[in-house]
Amino acid sequence: MSPFVGELVGTMLLIILGGGVVGGVVLHKSKAQHSGWIVITIGWGLAVTMGAYAVGGISGAHLNPALTIALATIDRFAWADVPLYIVAQMIGAFLGAVIVWLHYLPHWKQTEDKGAKLAVFATDPAIPNTLGNLLSEIIGTFILVFGILAIGANKFVDGLNPFVVGLLIISIGVSLGGTTGYAINPARDLGPRLAHFLLPIAGKGTSNWSYAWIPVVGPIIGGVLAALFYKIVFLA
């Protein structure tokens, strides 16, 4: 398997499990309906863990354009490979969202809340505020990338790193995710948002494109700042 396919498959798995847990919590007549934010954050943490275990040995399991760009910024990844990785991540995220749509196919008609349907695919702010929402995504992704770099600097039993990164995702979700839904990953938001826009989802509403730039730009800024901070402070 090539790194391109690895990133595609890993990101697809991430979205299947991450979008899937949101669908279970918010879609009507799901057996997991109303199980809450803690279930969502745990689900996303495990989604990252499984994606990383699946393709970590093949592509490094970036699964996130913000992480790919951040690593390239501090010369831990080749800039020439950045476009290839981002394309793979976007395709994987889109395909993962399509699979989530198929998995919950009977539930879309049963769910009247258009916002809940969008939430299965993409993030949305609790309080729309451009600066506040952008800062939330910057801060959340800063912690993500800094945490991944810090975790990578420690020695663990072989195979434990993806699990620890999953705990980091849960921590970010519980502590910082309540403002914007913590996209902290441009592909995680943009790929599924595009799927929401294109798929014939019963009773869907707008894909909220006016907000869509924030979970793309914010994570990239936060990731680059975290990588530079780590390099300057910890590696100087």
Side-chain angles (χ1 to χ4, degrees):
M1 183 183 291
S2 69
F4 178 88
V5 176
E7 281 297 292
L8 191 157
V9 171
T11 310
M12 182 176 68
L13 182 59
L14 165 69
I15 299 302
I16 291 171
L17 296 177
V21 71
V22 178
V25 170
V26 305
L27 293 179
H28 191 52
K29 293 190 177 180
S30 160
K31 291 182 180 293
Q33 189 179 13
H34 304 309
S35 51
W37 184 248
I38 301 302
V39 169
I40 289 175
T41 57
I42 292 173
W44 273 106
L46 293 175
V48 170
T49 299
M50 294 310 300
Y53 273 126
V55 302
I58 299 165
S59 67
H62 295 185
L63 317 182
N64 182 342
L67 178 58
T68 299
I69 293 170
L71 292 176
T73 300
I74 57 172
D75 300 320
R76 291 201 174 186
F77 188 72
W79 277 109
D81 293 331
V82 169
L84 190 71
Y85 265 53
I86 292 176
V87 170
Q89 292 155 359
M90 286 296 301
I91 294 172
F94 180 89
L95 293 176
V98 172
I99 292 171
V100 171
W101 169 65
L102 291 171
H103 182 79
Y104 286 103
L105 198 58
H107 294 267
W108 305 109
K109 286 184 179 179
Q110 298 291 331
T111 305
E112 295 183 2
D113 188 342
K114 294 179 174 61
K117 295 175 187 180
L118 177 59
V120 177
F121 296 88
T123 60
D124 193 53
I127 300 175
N129 180 290
T130 299
L131 179 58
N133 302 153
L134 184 63
L135 286 172
S136 287
E137 287 297 327
I138 290 172
I139 293 167
T141 314
F142 184 101
I143 298 301
L144 170 67
V145 172
F146 174 78
I148 288 173
L149 291 170
I151 290 167
N154 287 272
K155 292 184 178 180
F156 295 97
V157 175
D158 286 347
L160 189 61
N161 286 61
F163 179 75
V164 179
V165 172
L167 293 178
L168 172 64
I169 300 298
I170 294 172
S171 179
I172 293 170
V174 171
S175 300
L176 304 174
T179 53
T180 61
Y182 73 120
I184 58 175
N185 180 338
R188 170 265 176 273
D189 191 273
L190 186 57
R193 193 182 298 270
L194 182 60
H196 177 273
F197 178 73
L198 294 174
L199 289 171
I201 301 166
K204 71 177 179 180
T206 175
S207 300
N208 196 11
W209 288 108
S210 63
Y211 177 76
W213 68 274
I214 289 178
V216 172
V217 174
I220 292 173
I221 294 173
V224 169
L225 289 176
L228 292 173
F229 174 81
Y230 186 84
K231 181 178 182 179
I232 293 169
V233 175
F234 286 79
L235 302 180

